[in-house]
Amino acid sequence: MPLPLYLLAMAVFAMGTSEFMLAGLLPGIASDFGVTVGAAGTLTSAFAIGMAVGAPLMAALARNRPGRSSLLGFVLVFLATHVVGAATTSFLVLSATRVVSALANAGFLAVALTTAATLVPPDKKGRALAVLLSGTTVATIAGVPAGSVLGTLLGWRAAFWAVAVLCLPAALGILTGVPARAAADGLVGGPALRSELAQLRRPRVILVMLLGALVNAATFASFTFLAPVVTDTAGLGALWIPMALVLFGAGSLVGVTLAGRLSDRRPGLVLAFGGPLLLVGWPALALLADKPVALLTLVFVQGALSFALGSTLITRVLYEAAGAPTMAGSYATAALNVGAAAGPLIAAAALGTAAGGLGPLWASALLVLVALLIAYPLRGVIAAGPVEAAETSRVARHGRGLGN
């Protein structure tokens, strides 16, 4: 894989640390601002909403600009929002910084996904996506637990300052290692924006985006409220929260790595085996959450399965939306973050049910069940290989059909 992919992954690491670290900081934020843990959890949804809305918007604004300058600008804005967030005493201002940082993150990821696709052969998109997403998985292994430790020992603001510092080497890597027009070079003679947006009317694109959103909603529903499960249900100390996050991150890295090798040619295999296992895993986690060994083991397994399925479905978005070369990355980003926005909100509502603190785990199971019920009768569409997907996109671009 080309070196620029790994430099982009470095920036994704900084941004992923910020996105995921709230799972370990919610109790401290809630206490500092005098709000409930459920209310503090809306910061995750605010970030995800900004990502979902910002991905296509930022990608459209940046599509005719040099890739390197767009990527650098997004990273610097992201840095600035964390400086403001670390310094504010207003929960409203903190919420606003999460939305703005999400817009920057969305723009970065949309352009980075497009850039990644131009740096590799057409049939290697899954592997390129795996390298890019490795920044997120390494963030869950190292960055997020480190942020949780900082939050526990020095307060949640220290974690925000740390993310701001992480953005500096990421910006330097982009400036020195990414070609000035990496994303824009593939744009010459490309389709008009209206034509690219028309890809969103294709049923196959909508299907894989919907499934990706549902799986990611399930992931964030439980991940956002994992800290209270570790401390309250399992009865472990606060410093076990980073350990749980490390295990989830390690699992996600395993899942993304395996999916990166299979999602280009054998996506149906990942979905056929991973989907049912993921569905069984969330109720098992809820039922065994009071047993620390079982809890920590299942956290690892669910991290692997969630990211294997999620990254495979997002790879399918890139293939199915191949007729939108500058916007496909934003469609994938939007799908992920519609789920990331909905998941914590659904989980927060589940906290008020009879399941209590385990409600988010049951909500995750329900979301995966819905995804599988939708996917099963259409599994042939989802399992189409890159050749079939590319042909479908070619036909769509020439106006001869929409696919099934």
Side-chain angles (χ1 to χ4, degrees), residues 7-8 68-69 71-72 76 168-180:
L7 297 173
L8 294 176
R68 185 172 66 187
S69 63
L71 293 167
L72 181 61
L76 293 178
L168 294 174
L172 181 61
I174 291 169
L175 185 62
T176 59
V178 176

Side-chain angles (χ1 to χ4, degrees), residues 276-291:
L277 290 174
L278 183 64
L279 175 60
V280 171
W282 289 125
L285 187 54
L287 294 172
L288 298 172
D290 60 338
K291 298 175 173 59

Side-chain angles (χ1 to χ4, degrees), residues 17-26 29 40 43-44 98 160 224:
T17 296
S18 173
E19 182 175 9
F20 284 92
M21 72 180 182
L22 286 186
L25 302 178
L26 288 184
I29 292 174
L43 292 172
T44 300
R98 297 306 288 171
F160 273 63
T224 301

Side-chain angles (χ1 to χ4, degrees), residues 102-114:
L103 291 174
N105 192 354
F108 178 88
L109 191 54
V111 176
L113 284 168
T114 301

